[in-house]
Amino acid sequence: MAQRVLILGAGFGGLELATMLSEALGEEVEVTLLDRADSFVFGFSKLDVMFGRTAPDAVRLAYRQIVKPGVRFLQETVTAIDPAARHVTTDAGSHEADVLVLALGADYDLDATPGLAQAGNEFYSVAGAERLAGILPTFSSGRIVIGVCGAPFKCPPAPSEAALLMHDHLSARGVRDQCEIEFVIPLSSPVPPSPETSRALIEAFAERDIAFTPGRRVTSLDGERSVAILDDGAELPFDLFLGVPKHTAPPVLVASGMIDEVYVPVDSRTLETRFPGVYAIGDCAQVGVPKAGVFAEGAARVVAGSLIARAQHGEQPDPYDGRGSCFIEFGAGRIGRVDIDFLSGEKPSGIFRAPSVELARDKQQFGSSRRARWFGAEE
Ligand SMILES: Cc1cc2nc3c(=O)[nH]c(=O)nc-3n(C[C@H](O)[C@H](O)[C@H](O)COP(=O)(O)OP(=O)(O)OC[C@H]3O[C@@H](n4cnc5c(N)ncnc54)[C@H](O)[C@@H]3O)c2cc1C
């Protein structure tokens, strides 16, 4: 009987895993890929939506386009997980698996930051980005605060990108001189594992007159006074607040009893949880790497390699290396890149590649190659 692999979550991690298993094993494996949504959206597309560079419908990749030997996609919401029995309950029924892979990503906890939902905006969901796309064209003077409400958060460079793209957006509309931009982040620098990348970003902020406050977290917003309150008690007045909400594990994982701290603990070499045959990859796992699509993909490759090796009686893959390359928008059509290595050295390290139009093309290629591999779209 074909091995039954049940993948919960069709994001970066789930899509890469299903694709690799199908490519290597075809009908020899029975992959069920399950997601509550009907489509996938790249994280970086949210910035494009927010700044009106594209329409929300244009960035949605419908799961119904997935046609892969051995893989079936089901649009269902996971409501309970029994990791010991590898039994999953959804809003449409239940599933048993030989191998269960948790790839459910991280959720946002807006309520953890009082006032954020009422007085602020977030740009980390498609709905939030879409809402801001309606607000930004009418904002022509005043103070914009871009603030992070908790760490770790997805794609650490994303709020820096938002600040730089905000400068471009306001400049293009001829209102930059009437606006101030302030950026607050709880990390000690924009990209701590790469001092070179952080220096380049801090220089870019200074050149564009963007006020930058590292090492501070936004704890609440006071809508009546229009101030953001930081973890040292300082207050930042704003006319428009753009927040990165505090992240948390999806509630169904919390209820499953698999979590000790905030996310699902795994063996960082194999991504296996303490439950045999149950793996966790990507943002929902606690591995010691940043929450980003490229790391979710890397983890998926290790799990896929291990399952393929088992099916083909081959050698197990090398342990997960925690490496990934992140593109960073610097504005004016130029994109930089940082190549990060989180697990193989004594401490995390990163190599910076300066922003250029060539790297902007590479980022395009990054997106289109995945659209082709995962969804069969033309490159
Ligand atoms: C503004 C922004 C910019 C970003 N830029 C980049 C970038 O340039 N490069 C990069 O690598 N990363 C980037 N990221 C981060 C990246 O999007 C995430 O880290 C990545 O998607 C994580 O992959 P994942 O597979 O772990 O989870 P996800 O891709 O989040 O997928 C999880 C899936 O699980 C599903 N799900 C959750 N709960 C349930 C449930 N109960 N039942 C059924 N389904 C459920 C969700 O619908 C979702 O489809 C960015 C993120 C943001 C917000």
Side-chain angles (χ1 to χ4, degrees):
M1 209 174 80
Q3 177 161 244
R4 296 164 308 168
V5 179
L6 177 58
I7 305 170
L8 307 184
F12 259 92
L15 286 165
E16 179 64 16
L17 177 58
T19 302
M20 279 190 72
L21 292 176
S22 176
E23 282 171 352
L25 302 173
E27 306 285 350
E28 286 169 47
V29 66
E30 203 180 280
V31 176
T32 303
L33 178 62
L34 205 147
D35 204 291
R36 64 184 169 196
D38 64 355
S39 51
F40 170 75
V41 175
F42 285 106
F44 52 73
S45 297
K46 293 163 192 168
L47 294 174
D48 293 333
V49 168
M50 163 162 92
F51 289 110
R53 306 200 289 194
T54 186
D57 280 346
V59 297
R60 289 199 176 96
L61 295 157
Y63 291 129
R64 66 169 184 278
Q65 294 175 65
I66 297 176
V67 182
K68 295 184 189 300
V71 177
R72 65 173 178 156
F73 172 79
L74 296 178
Q75 188 181 355
E76 295 178 16
T77 299
V78 179
T79 52
I81 301 168
D82 177 346
R86 293 191 296 274
H87 182 95
V88 170
T89 311
T90 71
D91 58 351
S94 62
H95 303 270
E96 307 279 345
D98 301 311
V99 174
L100 176 62
V101 184
L102 313 171
L104 290 167
D107 273 8
Y108 305 133
D109 182 1
L110 266 77
D111 294 342
T113 309
L116 175 59
Q118 298 76 23
N121 303 273
E122 56 85 16
F123 59 97
Y124 258 49
S125 70
V126 180
E130 210 174 337
R131 187 163 172 259
L132 277 160
I135 295 173
L136 291 183
T138 64
F139 187 87
S140 300
S141 65
R143 254 173 90 83
I144 298 177
V145 173
I146 298 173
V148 177
C149 304
F153 57 95
K154 293 184 202 185
C155 192
S160 298
E161 294 178 291
L164 295 170
L165 294 175
M166 183 63 79
H167 168 85
D168 276 12
H169 171 86
L170 298 171
S171 304
R173 289 182 38 233
V175 296
R176 178 65 182 97
D177 288 348
Q178 285 106 265
C179 300
E180 289 170 57
I181 306 175
E182 170 125 27
F183 172 36
V184 185
I185 190 170
L187 311 177
S188 55
S189 63
V191 182
S194 172
E196 225 183 327
T197 309
S198 294
R199 251 193 316 275
L201 282 167
I202 290 167
E203 262 170 38
F205 299 149
E207 281 163 12
R208 291 159 179 82
D209 203 16
I210 295 170
F212 174 55
T213 307
R216 287 284 158 259
R217 181 172 68 84
V218 174
T219 54
S220 62
L221 301 188
D222 181 337
E224 270 177 28
R225 294 190 297 129
S226 288
V227 292
I229 296 147
L230 307 187
D231 53 2
D232 62 352
E235 296 191 347
L236 291 181
F238 66 82
D239 297 296
L240 180 65
F241 182 86
L242 270 62
V244 174
K246 182 174 184 285
H247 288 29
T248 183
V252 70
L253 288 178
V254 178
S256 75
M258 301 187 73
I259 290 176
D260 301 330
E261 289 169 26
V262 185
Y263 297 99
V264 181
V266 292
D267 179 330
S268 65
R269 292 161 306 173
T270 62
L271 290 314
E272 194 160 13
T273 67
R274 61 175 177 267
F275 297 92
V278 182
Y279 298 80
I281 57 174
D283 290 354
C284 70
Q286 197 164 302
V287 191
V289 300
K291 300 205 176 299
V294 286
F295 294 101
E297 255 185 43
R301 284 191 206 114
V302 172
V303 175
S306 169
L307 300 180
I308 294 164
R310 212 182 298 157
Q312 298 179 333
H313 308 289
E315 265 184 44
Q316 281 295 312
D318 289 337
Y320 179 51
D321 59 10
R323 289 202 187 129
S325 296
C326 294
F327 292 102
I328 306 176
E329 297 250 11
F330 274 72
R334 288 169 351 123
I335 291 183
R337 201 178 86 190
V338 57
D339 302 328
I340 304 213
D341 179 341
F342 257 83
L343 298 176
S344 65
E346 264 176 34
K347 61 178 189 155
S349 60
I351 297 166
F352 177 60
R353 291 187 56 197
S356 66
V357 282
E358 287 75 32
L359 283 174
R361 275 198 291 273
D362 288 0
K363 183 179 173 184
Q364 289 276 353
Q365 164 66 18
F366 174 87
S368 58
S369 61
R370 276 132 188 101
R371 277 194 289 274
R373 246 168 80 63
W374 297 340
F375 292 90
E378 273 183 32
E379 267 199 74

